[in-house]
Amino acid sequence: QHASIEGEWVLYYAADESRDLKGNFNTSAALYSIAIPSHAKGTYLLKLHWKSNNANYYFEQSMFLQ
């Protein structure tokens, strides 16, 4: 069994804040997936903030959505 993980994700679109996508999550699964709307196209920066076992984590990755 995995530890409880809670956090938030942001798909940041630098050219237009109105195209940013955001959400929260809480899971104990080893994997978590995000449903991205089909209209989200272009270069985004994925930002993940989460907490597990009283430790804070951060990850970011640039991605191009088609």
Side-chain angles (χ1 to χ4, degrees), residues 1 11-13 16-18 28-30 41 48-50 54:
Q1 173 144 349
L11 278 172
Y12 171 72
Y13 191 80
D16 183 354
E17 181 181 347
S18 71
S28 60
K41 298 189 183 326
L48 296 173
H49 300 266
W50 72 96
N54 293 319

Side-chain angles (χ1 to χ4, degrees), residues 6-7 9 16 25 28-29 34-35 39-40 45 51-52 62:
E6 61 181 75
W9 59 268
D16 183 354
F25 61 91
S28 60
I34 299 168
H39 69 273
L45 181 63
K51 184 174 185 175
S52 178
S62 179

Side-chain angles (χ1 to χ4, degrees), residues 2-4 7 12 14 16 23 26 31 33 38 41 47 52 58 62:
H2 297 277
S4 176
Y12 171 72
D16 183 354
N26 191 334
L31 297 174
S33 61
S38 61
K41 298 189 183 326
K47 299 179 180 184
S52 178
Y58 178 77
S62 179

